[in-house]
Amino acid sequence: MFSAFTRNRGIATLLFAAAAVTACDNYDSPIVPKAGSEELVLALKVSSMIAAPGERISVALDAEYSGTLAGVSGDVRFNSTKLRYVGQTVDDGIMMVNAKGAGEGLLRIAAAHQTGFAGDIGSLVFEVIGGDYLSTISFDAADAMALHADGARKIKDITVSRWAGEDRYLKVGEATIMTSDDWMRRLMPGRDPKFGTTFARPGDLAVPNLVYGDVNLSGGVTPVDLDDVIFLLNVTVGNLELIVDADSTTFGGAGAGRRDAVIAGNVDPINSPGLGEVGDALRPGINAPGDFGQIDLGDVIVVLNEIVNAAGQPVAGEIIPGRAPATPGRVVVSANITTSTTWTSNNVYEIQGGINVTNGATLTIQPGTVIEGQRGTGPGVGGAALFVQRDGRIVADGTPLQPIKFTCVGTPKAKGCWGGLVINGSAGLNEGTATSPIIAGRAATGNCLEKTGEGNSGLYGGCNDADSSGVLRYVVIEYSGFRFTTTNELNGIALQGVGSGTVVDFVQVHAGQDDSFELFGGTVNVKHLLLTAGSDDQLDWTEGWRGKAQFIIAQADSLDGDKGIEADGNSTAFGATPIANPKIWNMTIIGKFSPAGTGGADPNNNVEGGMHIRRGTRPDFNNFIVMGYPHMLDIDDTETCVTDANSAAFSMKNSAFQFYTTVNNTDGSDPVGCGSEEVFLAQGAFANQIAANGTATVVTLLAPYNVMTPDFRPAFGQAAGGGTPPSDGFFDTSATYKGAVAPANSAKANIPWYAGWSRPWQNPTLP
């Protein structure tokens, strides 16, 4: 199987790998690999250099490599006025071609072989339609993989020679546009593509014993097969999308939402010995902590290698952490937590009534743990909620593979079936009663304000802006929130007077009865929030919140929602200090697209507006995308627009606004200092993009209104022109794009930060 010298004509998909590329105008002078190196030399070959118009030619890659070449990917470019792509011939291995750009002279191709290429794996066939066609063909190498005794490895030293010359033995016979089903029929005759019946959700063991590589969720004795490989190859070249499959006929109409490429398919780099367990900082599929990975040729080869067990790599075929079947115990929690306690993932914890974490206790929740709140019998009656008091802490530190889930007991689940999570801290407010609160172990001096939280959630506020209430990371909170009265409510998550020492990162709040995420004063910084289907506002603050935030997605429930942002400074004294002046970078706010297809917001839906900024808050907004609302922005109250010694004025920069009925709110209460909302947003110094009308687009997002498999990524090449976030240790300064999610790469194969651990709606009409 392992040849001393491999010659191959391979083809493949656009990824990001270093390649040393040289051009050679001499058609018959291929480059020879460096002696003793693992250099891969690629060169194009053509069946005829002098074919006449109407004749067909075949083009293939010749590869020179001293090891066992498992796969190659890249772009074949040609002049579409001189050549017309006809199809491919099929020999050994698998070659996937994305021909969507053939009319513009681009083919994205990926080839893989489970034992290594030892000859032609097929070739691309063109019809000649113009002279001098030869000089227009080129190959841009993107990635290459080799098989070694310990698994698959990237080939880092790639050289491309433009031509190896003419090879009249290249096949120019029957050419076929090979689809995924064609490859399945060829490689697995008599067997239809198979797929799971559901997409695995965080905290649900919907696919017991799911292993890495089992992308189609098939399970069984041999869960990893060629169907998984073919799907990954399609994602790699961009034939199928990572998040949403636009071609509903492919794979029996299953689509990407019924496959798990994000977790099960993201296996390269292998990063052994860990599998992504708790404490494994470098799980499979990522290059560094904080990376979210992508599907590329390396993933294809690792999964393909697992099928033949050629190298025995340690990841593909292994059970994904958190997916082993288990029968959890059930622990009822009906008393306050007054001593430090750990909730473990082998139990479901049912909380009954209002449970307080207090008396200096820390509640630690293991990754993968499920917490279920007792259901209420009416609005705010008899249900459960978890209140972390000022003298308590919570450490709910999940992982991408094992998020922590808060929900309610039983099914069916609906908004407001339990109370939610409230965390009280001792950071400063601009509203409340003056006092000098002393919290055991967290004391701070001064005469500061404190308040009693709504829903009997306890006292919050104080003098300790650096206070730490613990950690929330990779946490999903669903179906929470009570409304006792219109001014007495529990939200999905309420952070009340929470300090900057608290960690809030990778948190989803789904289908809350009231606001999804509300901040009452404090200085807490938040990052990677996914706020979906709340009945009121998605992000809300008041009482002087002055923290930082980055990477926030707010997707409305268009039949039962309000605003993307509702922001207040103080409920009555709009100029109260400390001023609520949070700095927020990279946010995507999604309302509802008109079902009539006109592009504007649907006048019959219940979303009110994109952003309501009022009562003296003066946020600094940067790199936003706001779309799908009757109006984009409503500014109220003069105190919101002034600049004084306490705070700079409200600003909104480097952002995009589209799909609207009107840019401004027509309530007639525009404050002095800002002007109309449309004039405010159009200031030259703000550098915003505003669509010319409600049907125009300035930034294309891939599937922002989809509620089952949403794709909030801007399309490849979109969302440029954002500002550079501050370099202060909190913000990611590389996020110079508009919106909360990095744009898709050319194959749409880069994994967005919210994928794999967050949850969708129950079905397209029920959150």
Side-chain angles (χ1 to χ4, degrees):
M1 181 179 87
F2 293 95
S3 59
F5 189 81
T6 300
R7 293 180 61 82
N8 117 59
R9 300 175 182 109
I11 331 274
T13 185
L14 186 64
L15 303 167
F16 298 109
V21 180
T22 62
C24 180
D25 292 329
N26 184 339
Y27 293 161
D28 297 304
S29 59
I31 297 173
V32 177
K34 302 167 187 173
S37 74
E38 288 198 5
E39 178 188 21
L40 169 64
V41 174
L42 301 171
L44 285 168
K45 280 191 173 183
V46 63
S47 60
S48 174
M49 303 170 72
I50 55 172
E55 294 182 342
R56 290 185 174 186
I57 64 168
S58 184
V59 176
L61 274 182
D62 180 83
E64 307 238 2
Y65 184 60
S66 60
T68 303
L69 183 64
V72 182
S73 68
D75 289 344
V76 173
R77 301 181 185 276
F78 58 95
N79 188 329
S80 59
T81 67
K82 299 179 183 296
L83 293 170
R84 181 179 67 85
Y85 176 63
V86 176
Q88 65 187 98
T89 61
V90 179
D91 289 315
D92 204 7
I94 309 171
M95 180 173 73
M96 203 64 63
V97 181
N98 181 342
K100 296 175 184 177
E104 290 73 46
L106 173 64
L107 300 176
R108 179 164 293 123
I109 53 180
H113 197 293
Q114 62 192 35
T115 58
F117 296 124
D120 293 346
I121 62 167
S123 56
L124 303 173
V125 178
F126 297 86
E127 179 185 347
V128 176
I129 56 178
D132 192 28
Y133 58 84
L134 204 61
S135 64
T136 73
I137 310 175
S138 63
F139 179 70
D140 296 333
D143 206 2
M145 297 291 296
L147 290 179
H148 290 257
D150 58 350
R153 296 183 191 171
K154 288 188 184 294
I155 300 173
K156 297 181 180 179
D157 191 1
I158 307 173
T159 300
V160 178
S161 174
R162 185 174 182 187
W163 288 107
E166 184 178 82
D167 185 346
R168 296 186 181 277
Y169 292 99
L170 286 179
K171 294 182 179 180
V172 198
E174 290 295 324
T176 305
I177 303 289
M178 291 287 288
T179 66
S180 301
D181 289 343
D182 292 332
W183 278 111
M184 286 297 298
R185 282 190 288 269
R186 172 180 167 78
L187 299 171
M188 305 175 72
R191 185 164 145 197
D192 292 330
K194 59 186 177 180
F195 45 83
T197 58
T198 185
F199 185 81
R201 294 176 177 174
D204 297 332
L205 298 179
V207 186
N209 285 323
L210 181 65
V211 302
Y212 283 111
D214 185 11
V215 182
N216 60 17
L217 312 179
S218 61
V221 178
T222 56
V224 182
D225 56 28
L226 284 172
D227 178 53
D228 301 303
V229 172
I230 291 171
F231 182 83
L232 290 176
L233 268 174
N234 272 288
V235 172
T236 299
V237 298
N239 281 338
L240 295 178
E241 296 188 23
L242 176 74
I243 304 297
V244 181
D245 179 10
D247 182 2
S248 62
T249 64
T250 305
F251 290 100
R258 296 175 73 178
R259 294 172 180 261
D260 186 2
V262 169
I263 300 297
N266 187 28
V267 292
D268 179 70
I270 291 174
N271 295 331
S272 60
L275 293 172
E277 304 94 339
V278 177
D280 179 15
L282 203 62
R283 63 183 173 88
I286 64 173
N287 289 300
D291 175 34
F292 306 110
Q294 64 178 5
I295 300 302
D296 58 22
L297 189 62
D299 301 298
V300 174
I301 300 304
V302 170
V303 174
L304 187 60
N305 209 23
E306 169 64 18
I307 294 173
V308 296
N309 198 27
Q313 70 272 331
V315 171
E318 300 283 349
I319 294 178
I320 300 169
R323 303 303 177 93
T327 303
R330 178 168 288 270
V331 177
V332 174
V333 181
S334 57
N336 290 338
I337 297 169
T338 57
T339 59
S340 291
T341 301
T342 297
W343 289 353
T344 56
S345 59
N346 61 328
N347 291 314
V348 172
Y349 292 84
E350 179 181 331
I351 57 176
Q352 297 182 346
I355 300 299
N356 295 286
V357 181
T358 187
N359 194 45
T362 295
L363 172 61
T364 301
I365 305 176
Q366 288 185 346
T369 303
V370 176
I371 299 93
E372 295 183 346
Q374 180 186 36
R375 299 172 78 100
T377 58
V381 179
L386 183 63
F387 304 132
V388 181
Q389 299 300 338
R390 288 187 297 187
D391 61 350
R393 285 192 174 95
I394 182 171
V395 178
D397 201 358
T399 74
L401 303 182
Q402 296 174 268
I404 293 165
K405 184 170 74 172
F406 289 81
T407 186
C408 65
V409 172
T411 58
K413 298 184 188 298
K415 294 182 176 184
C417 61
W418 75 293
L421 173 65
V422 178
I423 301 178
N424 294 322
S426 57
L429 316 173
N430 67 13
E431 185 171 328
T433 301
T435 184
S436 298
I438 298 177
I439 295 90
R442 294 151 77 171
T445 59
N447 187 29
C448 303
L449 302 177
E450 67 178 8
K451 285 191 68 175
T452 299
E454 297 178 15
N456 299 315
S457 57
L459 285 167
Y460 64 93
C463 303
N464 186 3
D465 282 352
D467 185 30
S468 172
S469 295
V471 177
L472 292 180
R473 186 158 38 209
Y474 287 107
V475 171
V476 177
I477 296 180
E478 60 183 28
Y479 306 111
S480 54
F482 287 157
R483 287 181 176 173
F484 301 95
T485 68
T486 57
T487 58
N488 187 10
E489 304 161 326
L490 291 177
N491 303 281
I493 294 180
L495 302 183
Q496 304 185 150
V498 174
S500 61
T502 309
V503 175
V504 179
D505 200 5
F506 296 102
V507 172
Q508 180 185 16
V509 182
H510 178 71
Q513 181 66 42
D514 194 56
D515 298 324
S516 293
F517 197 98
E518 185 159 8
L519 301 111
F520 295 84
T523 55
V524 63
N525 304 318
V526 299
K527 196 178 267 189
H528 298 109
L529 302 184
L530 177 61
L531 312 176
T532 51
S535 287
D536 198 3
D537 311 312
Q538 301 307 310
L539 178 64
D540 195 331
W541 69 80
T542 186
E543 299 177 8
W545 176 54
R546 54 205 179 279
K548 305 170 188 176
Q550 190 177 26
F551 307 125
I552 303 177
I553 300 169
Q555 185 193 50
D557 178 349
S558 60
L559 299 178
D560 181 26
D562 199 350
K563 304 161 190 170
I565 291 177
E566 182 176 88
D568 295 349
N570 180 288
S571 60
T572 55
F574 300 164
T577 58
I579 298 292
N581 60 345
K583 295 175 174 56
I584 302 180
W585 286 75
N586 300 97
M587 184 168 183
T588 298
I589 302 175
I590 306 296
K592 181 181 180 182
F593 189 73
S594 169
T598 60
D602 177 8
N604 298 314
N605 71 29
N606 195 40
V607 295
E608 180 179 328
M611 299 174 290
H612 194 180
I613 313 301
R614 64 184 185 179
R615 298 177 178 173
T617 185
R618 302 177 204 163
D620 177 19
F621 289 161
N622 299 269
N623 297 357
F624 276 42
I625 296 173
V626 187
M627 57 192 293
Y629 284 90
H631 60 268
M632 296 283 96
L633 176 64
D634 183 11
I635 307 174
D636 288 335
D637 308 311
T638 298
E639 291 86 347
T640 307
C641 295
V642 301
T643 303
D644 58 32
N646 296 313
S647 175
F650 169 37
S651 63
M652 180 104 214
K653 301 175 183 177
N654 303 302
S655 298
F657 304 87
Q658 59 193 21
F659 297 128
Y660 54 82
T661 304
T662 62
V663 174
N664 58 297
N665 184 31
T666 56
D667 60 5
S669 61
D670 297 332
V672 175
C674 285
S676 73
E677 290 87 356
E678 190 164 8
V679 169
F680 174 79
L681 292 177
Q683 295 178 60
F686 284 180
N688 292 318
Q689 290 178 288
I690 303 173
N693 54 61
T695 63
T697 304
V698 292
V699 177
T700 299
L701 303 188
L702 295 182
Y705 300 105
N706 189 320
V707 295
M708 292 300 295
T709 52
D711 196 338
F712 301 106
R713 294 176 298 172
F716 177 62
Q718 298 277 308
T724 301
S727 179
D728 62 358
F730 172 78
F731 290 106
D732 180 349
T733 59
S734 70
T736 57
Y737 46 82
K738 297 180 176 71
V741 186
N745 63 18
S746 57
K748 304 180 187 176
N750 56 309
I751 297 173
W753 57 259
Y754 60 86
W757 61 272
S758 60
R759 58 149 303 149
W761 286 31
Q762 297 179 60
N763 58 59
T765 59
L766 184 64

